[in-house]
Amino acid sequence: MFEWSRDWPINGHRSESTLPNCSFYFFFFFSARCSLFRYVPEMTGHMRIYGGEHPNQQILSRIATNDGHGENSSYFDGWKAYENDPFHLTGNPKGVIQMGLAENQLSLDLIQDWLKKNPQASICTGEGVSEFEAIANFQDYHGLPTFRKVLISTRNAELQLLVLTVQAIAQFMEKVRGGRARFDPDRIVMSGGATGAQETIAFCLADPGEAFLIPTPYYPGFDRDFRWRTGVQLLPIHCHSSNKFKITQAALETAYRKARNSHVRVKGILVTNPSNPLGTTMDRETLRTLVSFVNEKRMHLVCDEIFSGTVFDKPRYVSVSEVIEDDPYCDRDLIHIAYSLSKDLGVPGFRVGVIYSYNDAVVSCARKMSSFGLVSTQTQHLLASMLGDEEFTTSFLATSRTRLCRRRRVFTEGLKRVGIHCLDGNAGLFCWMDLRPLLKEATVEAELRLWRVIINDVKLNISPGSSFHCSEPGWFRVCFANMDDTAMQIALSRIKKFVYRENDAAVQAKNKRRWDDALRLSLPRRFEDPTIMTPHLMSPHSPLVQAAT
Amino acid sequence: MPQKLLSRKAACNTHGQDSSYFLGWQEYEKNPYDPQTNPTGIIQMGLAENQVGTPWTTPPPASSSSSLPLYPPANAILSFDLIEPWLERHPDAVGLRRDGALVFRELALFQDYHGLPAFKKALTDFMGELRGNKVKFEPHKLVLTAGSTSANETLMFCLAEPGEAFLLPTPYYPGFDRDLKWRTGAEIVPIHCSSSNGFRVTKAALEKAYQGARKRHLRVKGVLVTNPSNPLGTTMTRDELDTLVDFVVAKDIHLISDEIYSGTSFDAPGFVSVMEAIEGRQHVSHRIHVVYSLSKDLGLPGFRVGAIYSNNEAVVAAATKMSSFGLVSSQTQYLLSVLLSDKEFTRNYTAENQKRIKERHDRLVQGLRRSGISCLQSNAGLFCWVDMRHLLNSNTFEGEMELWKKIVYQVGLNISPGSSCHSDEPGWFRVCFANMSAATLDLSMQRLQDFVASRGGCASRPRRQRKKPSLGKWILTLSSSDRISDRGC
């Protein structure tokens, strides 16, 4: 009936953005679909931005013409490569496999089964249609505090929806956290996906020019979500592989001091837990450190917990909500959680994000702002019924976790067999893959060269660490839950073939004594497994992207 | 909680929710009319808005145990009975099926911010149809947003820096203060329109507003109009549109035309879209942007479907990226793509809907006339711009508030005072008629009639010196009995 085209997934996978030091780009004329990536390389100095085509574009806003949306980044060239040549088992078996997409397709069949059993939930047939009017008209904000005390009136059908949706979400959030934290439905504000949730939080908490600290590597989409239209800055807390990218008190202090020294006001810390892109969860100690740090400095802690339902292995998940419930000294006004159903349920198309704040003023402000991205009531209706079915959510979460766990195990073991290691992870829809041994030199340029080979020759779209602002070159985020078993096996076999080819090339090179040992020894190889002896063949592609930090 | 921990936006009240416009809703919510359970309650006639449901008056949750800001009632319920049978006949569309097979998986994963191609095609076709197919709308120039609230804000983000200004003719929709200004930091400068010419936008008024902005050292980036007008219920004439277009060309600025009521135009002269007005003109199309939504024309505000239509590719590109902050649910896009693709349905729906709006509009106008109240002659929208200047005790906005309070508390009608719409003349009110049954509308008119009658001789004499001729042909003439009451008996 209509054709599907998936371009740029919006929520989980967005780009990296302008780096503080990069200057502006000329924009060619855009066409909505396919020219998102047209730009010419950096201009020197401070150039005025011109729109191109029409002279009036000089009178567009800076936001409309600058690069803050982050789509002109390396991250998205990979998307483009995938789009031009998408893998299909029968239709295009040699195409690029999409592994840059943190999407959870492993358990959609469970939801589909539920839908078949509960047809009324999508306001169809019989009883469903009778609810159409109330649902189509209902356009309320979310989490009305007094809804339970409302007079019985003819309009209560509308209200029921709100009550059910918000309660169902609160219940689901508690279930995801093993019942160890309580969520008050009155504090839930729905927003247009986690993207909308993050921007709303930034608008509420900081003025233009003020900053949030964020541990690296971090999800590139934050540059758009948190910064673009709000004018808020994100300043890195540098984390390293030496301690598995954990946030330390020292790293926090350093980042904070650095900001203060450059006269930037720090308004808070933004973390993802489970981490995107690491696939790890935070331990209680780290969370306590963060909570006491923000209390001490009087700033906010925003925890993005959109992957909380994907925790599939030990150690068990600890949400910030659990930590502050144990901490009588924490000022709860400083704590805010972003959540979404896109990852945990695998329904990014439904655009359901959640802001959960312990701060009354933030709840109130966010609720007003939610007008800019309300969730379709048709969708609320469906989700309220689905999430309200506890039996279903229990078995869904259990099955989803089992499948994710299995998928990750199969995938990482496959990688291990060819000598590729990943950071130990227990959550998320991706691995943080260590390809440092494959780098010719420990630079971002080398990382991007390797990445181009992987996209163009190996035909896998994975995301380079530099697009996540990682401070060590050679790490890549590889998503594993957006494909079926067969596609994953094909991806693995391509990687194997690539590594063997690299090994062969290395052996040959060695035989010819053309191998520059000195260069290899210069690699930072503190922690990786030395079993991989894979030098590299670097494609001559020119690195056309700007280097990430 | 020290406010400085939050942003200025969170701490300030430029969201505009403290306006009297919204206080009326609060009152309504405390005491909502219901024919069975609360027959003396307040009748909601303040509602035609897209974001009526927003919690304008919600205090922070912890302290709000007793406040009652409710959800809004339906706003355009006149024609739901037309949509429901369609849904029954098309279980696939509602049940997330295509040819009987579930499309849930595709929809759940669909998150392309360019939208479902089928939906955009159907929506642009529908927009063309509402404009008599005189203009062709192309899907690639359309950006989907979560309602027109978001569409307007997105355009502001694209077109203006903080501190730059847009000119808006008064009276204007109260929600614009939030939608256009709050988070973007843009400014609104009023173009003063008056009843003397039926609130038409003139070249002189435009120029005056522009110069006024310049005097305040504001850079003017554009003009924003609603056509059909909210709150006036009038459509713009071809001449007015030409004046506007000439003006934005001369000043090298943008023109945003919010056309969310385009499908409600029920009477002659017909609705003319700005897109039609610029046909054939050179070098203007890139500065013209249209905002659209299905909240009013299809009466589906809960589905949150808004759109920006622009010939300016840079704006389309930037707005598309920004739409990430408020996309339309794929489930909803799917349902509506099937619904709007049914041309026979949309034609019948629109015609029948307009017929019903006209009937209801006429009922309101006649009801008001029985109370000796006239309104601006209108041909679109879900409301009338009602002239109660003769009922004011003083020709001031205090006088207007005084009357408004009486109407809310004594008469039990929630209507919106002109001051909340930044009207320049006290005594005008916006009264919505499409969100209730005919019986309720009749009741509201009866209440109003009783109220006006009860004022009789005891009402204090209007102090203002009203210039009768200024009403001109734009205002429906008053009946003779009204003239008596108008003179204050």
Side-chain angles (χ1 to χ4, degrees):
Chain A
M1 187 173 295
F2 50 84
E3 55 185 71
W4 295 93
S5 95
R6 164 137 9 96
D7 276 5
W8 316 109
I10 296 313
N11 185 22
H13 338 282
R14 222 346 97 58
S15 67
E16 123 151 24
S17 114
T18 41
L19 300 161
N21 62 347
C22 89
S23 52
F24 302 113
Y25 293 100
F26 267 97
F27 274 65
F28 282 23
F29 45 97
F30 296 83
S31 90
R33 273 208 83 72
C34 52
S35 54
L36 296 173
F37 295 94
R38 271 184 221 158
Y39 61 92
V40 295
E42 293 184 73
M43 305 304 299
T44 50
H46 289 278
M47 305 287 299
R48 275 290 297 170
I49 297 173
Y50 295 97
E53 228 184 12
H54 298 298
N56 83 303
Q57 285 167 14
Q58 293 166 51
I59 56 170
L60 300 189
S61 71
R62 281 190 290 273
I63 289 175
T65 45
N66 74 14
D67 217 6
H69 49 75
E71 288 185 4
N72 297 316
S73 111
S74 57
Y75 189 64
F76 285 108
D77 281 343
W79 292 91
K80 197 179 175 187
Y82 166 73
E83 238 214 349
N84 291 340
D85 182 22
F87 170 81
H88 187 273
L89 190 57
T90 48
N92 187 19
K94 291 190 169 154
V96 175
I97 298 178
Q98 172 61 292
M99 304 186 90
L101 178 61
E103 196 170 82
N104 188 358
Q105 300 186 9
L106 297 187
S107 301
L108 279 177
D109 57 310
L110 302 178
I111 298 182
Q112 202 149 314
D113 290 344
W114 184 89
L115 276 176
K116 281 178 191 156
K117 283 183 219 140
N118 297 273
Q120 79 290 351
S122 51
I123 59 163
C124 57
T125 62
E127 188 189 341
V129 163
S130 67
E131 295 173 58
F132 174 74
E133 176 173 335
I135 288 162
N137 254 306
F138 179 64
Q139 47 172 332
D140 206 15
Y141 54 91
H142 325 297
L144 188 59
T146 47
F147 48 69
R148 294 180 204 86
K149 304 180 184 97
V150 156
L151 300 166
I152 301 299
S153 84
T154 50
R155 307 217 183 272
N156 252 13
E158 300 164 22
L159 204 56
Q160 291 300 326
L161 174 61
L162 170 68
V163 176
L164 290 174
T165 312
V166 179
Q167 279 179 342
I169 289 178
Q171 212 174 44
F172 186 69
M173 288 172 73
E174 286 171 5
K175 185 176 282 288
V176 160
R177 286 154 188 80
R180 291 179 300 270
R182 307 299 308 162
F183 290 99
D184 177 356
D186 294 354
R187 294 192 172 279
I188 287 182
V189 179
M190 278 192 264
S191 67
T195 303
Q198 288 295 354
E199 190 190 49
T200 300
I201 290 174
F203 268 127
C204 290
L205 301 184
D207 287 317
E210 296 180 336
F212 265 70
L213 305 178
I214 183 167
T216 62
Y218 68 83
Y219 165 56
F222 282 143
D223 287 324
R224 175 199 53 186
D225 303 350
F226 219 78
R227 292 172 27 178
W228 187 25
R229 304 199 304 186
T230 63
V232 174
Q233 303 185 55
L234 288 177
L235 302 176
I237 302 165
H238 291 290
C239 299
H240 298 280
S241 59
S242 55
N243 69 344
K244 300 187 172 175
F245 298 98
K246 276 192 184 138
I247 305 166
T248 61
Q249 176 86 26
L252 279 173
E253 293 286 359
T254 308
Y256 184 73
R257 213 173 33 243
K258 209 172 149 192
R260 293 301 291 261
N261 288 345
S262 38
H263 306 289
V264 175
R265 177 157 183 216
V266 179
K267 283 304 265 294
I269 302 176
L270 168 63
V271 297
T272 52
N273 179 31
S275 163
N276 179 4
L278 300 176
T280 55
T281 54
M282 268 185 202
D283 56 39
R284 196 177 284 269
E285 244 358 270
T286 308
L287 280 165
R288 281 197 184 127
T289 305
L290 285 167
V291 167
S292 64
F293 190 82
V294 299
N295 272 281
E296 184 193 316
K297 307 284 193 224
R298 297 298 301 157
M299 58 187 191
H300 300 278
L301 177 61
V302 178
C303 287
D304 181 317
E305 302 191 343
I306 68 169
F307 288 99
S308 49
T310 67
V311 181
F312 49 77
D313 208 350
K314 287 186 178 106
R316 80 162 172 81
Y317 181 61
V318 183
S319 160
V320 70
S321 51
E322 205 178 314
V323 170
I324 63 169
E325 276 175 27
D326 294 346
D327 182 353
Y329 301 107
C330 171
D331 180 353
R332 293 188 177 198
D333 278 343
L334 305 175
I335 310 295
H336 322 275
I337 296 171
Y339 186 57
S340 137
L341 298 177
S342 301
K343 309 301 178 186
D344 287 357
L345 273 191
V347 291
F350 288 4
R351 314 308 307 150
V352 184
V354 168
I355 296 154
Y356 190 91
S357 176
Y358 292 87
N359 183 320
D360 295 344
V362 172
V363 171
S364 161
C365 180
R367 199 169 277 150
K368 289 179 187 114
M369 289 190 182
S370 71
S371 312
F372 296 111
L374 294 176
V375 176
S376 164
T377 47
Q378 185 197 11
T379 299
Q380 283 188 49
H381 177 73
L382 170 61
L383 292 171
S385 323
M386 197 187 327
L387 298 182
D389 183 343
E390 263 208 81
E391 202 180 312
F392 167 74
T393 54
T394 308
S395 80
F396 175 87
L397 283 170
T399 312
S400 169
R401 285 166 177 156
T402 312
R403 290 179 184 178
L404 283 169
C405 187
R406 188 181 157 273
R407 173 57 67 86
R408 181 178 164 115
R409 204 182 57 238
V410 173
F411 186 69
T412 51
E413 279 170 5
L415 289 176
K416 218 177 271 173
R417 277 197 289 278
V418 293
I420 296 176
H421 289 249
C422 295
L423 186 73
D424 283 340
N426 62 331
L429 311 170
F430 31 72
C431 307
W432 190 236
M433 183 170 72
D434 182 5
L435 295 186
R436 287 177 297 172
L438 292 176
L439 289 193
K440 203 161 199 166
E441 55 185 33
T443 63
V444 171
E445 290 71 30
E447 173 181 292
L448 291 174
R449 275 198 298 273
L450 174 60
W451 172 66
R452 299 226 147 257
V453 174
I454 294 173
I455 285 184
N456 296 326
D457 300 351
V458 190
K459 303 263 183 189
L460 302 176
N461 178 33
I462 62 176
S463 311
S466 53
S467 66
F468 293 82
H469 302 264
C470 185
S471 36
E472 295 173 23
W475 293 89
F476 291 80
R477 192 189 73 168
V478 190
C479 300
F480 54 70
N482 59 323
M483 60 191 77
D484 59 20
D485 286 330
T486 321
M488 186 207 59
Q489 289 299 344
I490 293 172
L492 269 180
S493 68
R494 287 182 185 181
I495 295 173
K496 270 181 210 164
K497 219 158 94 190
F498 169 64
V499 172
Y500 290 147
R501 194 180 73 189
E502 293 293 280
N503 284 341
D504 289 349
V507 171
Q508 278 171 17
K510 214 164 203 169
N511 291 343
K512 289 178 187 165
R513 299 190 179 281
R514 278 168 51 195
W515 176 245
D516 182 356
D517 277 326
L519 181 59
R520 281 204 64 229
L521 291 173
S522 72
L523 293 179
R525 312 193 50 200
R526 274 168 295 177
F527 290 96
E528 78 272 27
D529 191 309
T531 54
I532 323 164
M533 290 297 144
T534 52
H536 3 291
L537 134 118
M538 282 307 151
S539 108
H541 289 280
S542 61
L544 54 81
V545 289
Q546 78 266 32
T549 346
Chain B
M1 178 70 191
Q3 287 300 318
K4 63 182 181 196
L5 262 181
L6 303 182
S7 69
R8 286 189 294 271
K9 286 182 182 72
C12 75
N13 63 1
T14 48
H15 47 73
Q17 305 193 1
D18 303 326
S19 145
S20 56
Y21 180 63
F22 302 116
L23 296 178
W25 289 350
Q26 199 176 23
E27 291 310 317
Y28 164 74
E29 285 154 2
K30 283 181 195 161
N31 182 21
Y33 168 79
D34 183 276
Q36 272 86 46
T37 58
N38 192 16
T40 58
I42 297 177
I43 297 174
Q44 172 61 292
M45 305 183 88
L47 186 70
E49 311 310 333
N50 208 344
Q51 49 282 77
V52 280
T54 42
W56 296 106
T57 48
T58 317
S63 59
S64 62
S65 52
S66 62
S67 71
L68 270 184
L70 279 194
Y71 52 90
N75 79 2
I77 60 173
L78 285 183
S79 302
F80 261 112
D81 57 317
L82 302 177
I83 296 183
E84 281 162 351
W86 185 91
L87 294 173
E88 269 161 15
R89 289 196 309 274
H90 295 82
D92 265 20
V94 258
L96 301 176
R97 281 163 198 276
R98 189 195 303 133
D99 301 330
L102 266 181
V103 290
F104 168 75
R105 190 185 177 86
E106 286 165 279
L107 292 174
L109 293 174
F110 184 83
Q111 44 178 336
D112 177 358
Y113 60 26
H114 294 104
L116 283 186
F119 177 53
K120 284 174 75 175
K121 169 85 172 53
L123 184 56
T124 45
D125 285 353
F126 182 62
M127 289 169 71
E129 189 185 305
L130 289 178
R131 287 153 187 80
N133 288 318
K134 287 174 207 150
V135 194
K136 173 112 182 81
F137 289 89
E138 297 168 70
H140 71 274
K141 295 177 178 175
L142 187 82
V143 180
L144 296 176
T145 61
S148 66
T149 304
S150 169
N152 278 313
E153 189 194 46
T154 299
L155 275 175
M156 264 327 112
F157 269 122
C158 289
L159 305 179
E161 303 293 342
E164 294 181 339
F166 261 72
L167 310 179
L168 268 74
T170 61
Y172 65 80
Y173 162 56
F176 280 147
D177 289 323
R178 175 198 55 184
D179 300 354
L180 306 180
K181 285 163 59 177
W182 186 27
R183 304 199 307 184
T184 66
E187 296 286 338
I188 291 177
V189 173
I191 303 165
H192 296 290
C193 298
S194 78
S195 58
S196 58
N197 70 342
F199 300 97
R200 297 286 163 193
V201 180
T202 62
K203 189 159 184 264
L206 281 167
E207 192 60 47
K208 203 171 151 202
Y210 188 83
Q211 295 310 335
R214 296 299 290 265
K215 246 176 236 146
R216 290 168 57 196
H217 304 288
L218 292 173
R219 182 169 175 203
V220 176
K221 288 304 272 292
V223 180
L224 185 146
V225 297
T226 51
N227 179 28
S229 163
N230 179 5
L232 300 176
T234 55
T235 54
M236 284 195 158
T237 62
R238 192 70 193 234
D239 282 348
E240 255 180 302
L241 288 168
D242 287 341
T243 305
L244 278 167
V245 172
D246 291 343
F247 181 77
V248 298
V249 170
K251 303 295 185 196
D252 190 23
I253 56 178
H254 298 274
L255 174 60
I256 299 175
S257 176
D258 178 328
E259 302 187 351
I260 66 170
Y261 287 97
S262 52
T264 65
S265 147
F266 54 80
D267 215 344
F271 167 68
V272 182
S273 167
V274 70
M275 284 300 171
E276 191 184 333
I278 60 164
E279 287 251 297
R281 287 188 67 154
Q282 301 286 310
H283 311 301
V284 291
S285 70
H286 61 282
R287 61 177 82 244
I288 310 289
H289 319 281
V290 170
V291 167
Y292 190 56
S293 145
L294 294 178
S295 300
K296 309 302 176 187
D297 286 356
L298 274 191
L300 303 173
F303 283 11
R304 311 308 305 154
V305 182
I308 295 166
Y309 188 87
S310 173
N311 286 310
N312 190 315
E313 285 166 341
V315 170
V316 170
T320 301
K321 295 185 187 91
M322 289 186 193
S323 71
S324 308
F325 298 111
L327 296 173
V328 180
S329 165
S330 57
Q331 183 199 15
T332 299
Q333 289 190 50
Y334 177 67
L335 169 61
L336 293 176
S337 71
V338 184
L339 181 97
L340 292 180
S341 301
D342 186 339
K343 293 286 158 55
E344 196 191 329
F345 167 76
T346 56
R347 254 195 312 277
N348 292 341
Y349 176 87
T350 306
E352 181 63 25
N353 188 37
Q354 288 169 353
K355 198 180 114 209
R356 292 180 188 187
I357 293 173
K358 180 171 166 46
E359 281 166 13
R360 195 56 64 79
H361 166 269
D362 294 351
R363 201 180 191 107
L364 175 75
V365 171
Q366 282 155 19
L368 288 170
R369 197 175 287 157
R370 280 195 294 278
S371 308
I373 297 170
S374 62
C375 45
L376 186 73
Q377 191 166 5
S378 65
N379 61 335
L382 307 172
F383 32 73
C384 286
W385 187 238
V386 177
D387 181 6
M388 301 201 196
R389 290 178 292 179
H390 60 288
L391 297 176
L392 296 185
N393 282 330
S394 71
N395 186 25
T396 60
F397 288 110
E398 289 73 38
E400 181 179 286
M401 285 312 288
E402 190 193 327
L403 177 60
W404 176 71
K405 280 183 185 147
K406 275 186 199 147
I407 293 173
V408 173
Y409 293 106
Q410 292 176 20
V411 189
L413 306 179
N414 179 36
I415 61 178
S416 308
S419 54
S420 68
C421 302
H422 302 267
S423 170
D424 294 309
E425 297 173 23
W428 294 87
F429 292 81
R430 195 190 72 165
V431 180
C432 298
F433 54 74
N435 59 325
M436 64 190 73
S437 67
T440 306
L441 183 63
D442 291 345
L443 174 66
S444 68
M445 290 300 101
Q446 189 55 51
R447 286 184 184 179
L448 196 60
Q449 209 174 332
D450 295 346
F451 167 70
V452 172
S454 75
R455 288 166 59 95
C458 55
S460 51
R461 198 181 177 81
R463 271 163 234 151
R464 82 204 140 77
Q465 308 283 310
R466 196 166 112 224
K467 286 180 283 181
K468 271 263 160 120
S470 73
L471 286 175
K473 63 181 174 181
W474 304 102
I475 310 296
L476 292 176
T477 47
L478 303 169
S479 70
S480 54
S481 62
D482 309 330
R483 285 167 202 276
I484 295 165
S485 70
D486 186 43
R487 286 183 205 109
C489 313

